[in-house]
Amino acid sequence: MPERIPVVEKILSANDRLALENQARFAAAKVFAINVMASPGAGKTSLIEQTVRGLTGKLRIGMINGDIATSFDADRAQAAGASAVQINTGGDCHLDAVMVQSAIGQLDLASLDLVIIENVGNLVCPADFKLGTQKSVLVASIPEGDDKPYKYPGMYRGVDAVVINKIDLLPYVSFRMDFFKKGIEVLNPGVTQFELSCRSGEGLPAWLDWLEAQVRAFRKA
Amino acid sequence: MHELAVTESILEIALRHALEQNATRITALHLVIGQWASLVDDSVQFYWDTISEGTIARGAQLHFRRVPVRLACQSCNYEYAPAGEILACPQCGSVEVKVIAGEEFNLEAIDIETGTE
């Protein structure tokens, strides 16, 4: 007769352990890392581009890019003043701690203050795979619709900040900001939120100030 | 894609625990998956049949226990299951809500055989 053995282990515990190692490596080098997640087309790349542009000269920025095909490639990142590593996910739906571990090895952490990790555009899988960043950021956008927190609760649950992008489109799209924010509030009470437009630049300074303050506080600690 | 990584983790954990018990075979795995943990059972089963080949877990049955989401209102203590787009407390309307179940993503137990009986 087979015998039942209790296991009670989180299925992704191996990834979680490795994420903790990544986190320790970033911390030892006093590098603040963020994991930027979003659905395809929400504006991850635009936000990162604006962020690199806005903070270059103030912070030394490195990028780990996991998008399968992005317009903001390593060359453009370097042109904007960041050092960049491209991860080939081979069509995978998310980054995991192993991919990030090997990418960290290709960055000179000692010469950086901030590492921005661009996850694969997807509102489901990246939520489950911790990478070892200090903070994770979700980029939402007005044209996606105001029901996204309700449809993808897992993604909204675990993030430290939500950036609501493309607010310049509010006059043209039926998007109930109250309804959207109520969903976020239930799923992730008190989460930091930004409303901005990467295109018009409206609201960007608040995001840049917040991120810069986070990095400085972390490096001082 | 996502399910492949998950299934590999499940196999790794099961084999490790089986080895500790000197098992000769794993006959079943008991998984506990919350409603808000994104996972497709059929897809895991599909990958399982492939990646368990050649291991002592080959042919093991996968049992999924799905846990529905339960929310607890922090204002009036009412416990409820969210209905579609209504996440706030249906009793008092508060959005101060705690998720008390539905995010599980665990391998709870394995059934093993040891020795030659």
Side-chain angles (χ1 to χ4, degrees), chain A residues 168-190:
Chain A
D168 53 319
L169 297 180
L170 274 170
Y172 315 106
V173 180
S174 72
F175 184 96
R176 295 159 295 172
M177 190 63 89
D178 288 356
F179 177 68
F180 182 80
K181 290 197 152 188
K182 195 170 180 184
I184 297 179
E185 199 51 48
V186 172
L187 295 166
N188 198 336

Side-chain angles (χ1 to χ4, degrees), chain A residues 118-179:
Chain A
E118 180 173 3
N119 216 310
V120 180
N122 184 332
L123 277 186
V124 183
C125 313
D128 292 335
F129 292 84
K130 295 191 183 103
L131 304 182
T133 58
Q134 272 71 36
K135 300 274 180 197
S136 56
V137 177
L138 174 63
V139 184
S141 68
I142 302 301
E144 287 170 64
D146 52 23
D147 60 348
K148 288 300 166 288
Y150 304 91
K151 285 193 171 162
Y152 302 94
M155 185 56 87
Y156 281 85
R157 285 279 291 160
V159 296
D160 302 295
V162 176
V163 171
I164 306 167
N165 187 23
K166 307 190 191 182
I167 55 166
D168 53 319
L169 297 180
L170 274 170
Y172 315 106
V173 180
S174 72
F175 184 96
R176 295 159 295 172
M177 190 63 89
D178 288 356
F179 177 68

Side-chain angles (χ1 to χ4, degrees), chain A residues 3-5 7 9 157, chain B residues 16 103 108 110-112:
Chain A
E3 176 190 357
R4 185 157 303 176
I5 302 292
V7 174
E9 200 168 308
R157 285 279 291 160
Chain B
R16 179 157 41 79
E103 294 188 307
E108 197 173 49
I110 55 175
D111 295 349
I112 58 166

Side-chain angles (χ1 to χ4, degrees), chain B residues 17-97:
Chain B
H17 284 270
L19 198 69
E20 280 168 16
Q21 304 294 328
N22 296 316
T24 51
R25 218 183 136 217
I26 301 173
T27 58
L29 288 85
H30 301 271
L31 299 152
V32 181
I33 310 293
Q35 187 187 330
W36 276 359
S38 44
L39 197 73
V40 182
D41 300 4
D42 286 350
S43 190
V44 172
Q45 183 72 56
F46 170 79
Y47 287 119
W48 176 258
D49 295 341
T50 309
I51 68 167
S52 63
E53 268 300 319
T55 74
I56 60 167
R58 179 177 172 259
Q61 288 248 307
L62 297 182
H63 298 283
F64 293 91
R65 182 159 68 82
R66 284 281 178 173
V67 182
V69 172
R70 296 288 298 171
L71 304 178
C73 176
Q74 302 299 287
S75 300
C76 74
N77 293 323
Y78 183 66
E79 275 190 36
Y80 59 100
E85 292 186 347
I86 305 159
L87 291 176
C89 177
Q91 204 79 309
C92 72
S94 170
V95 292
E96 278 175 60
V97 164

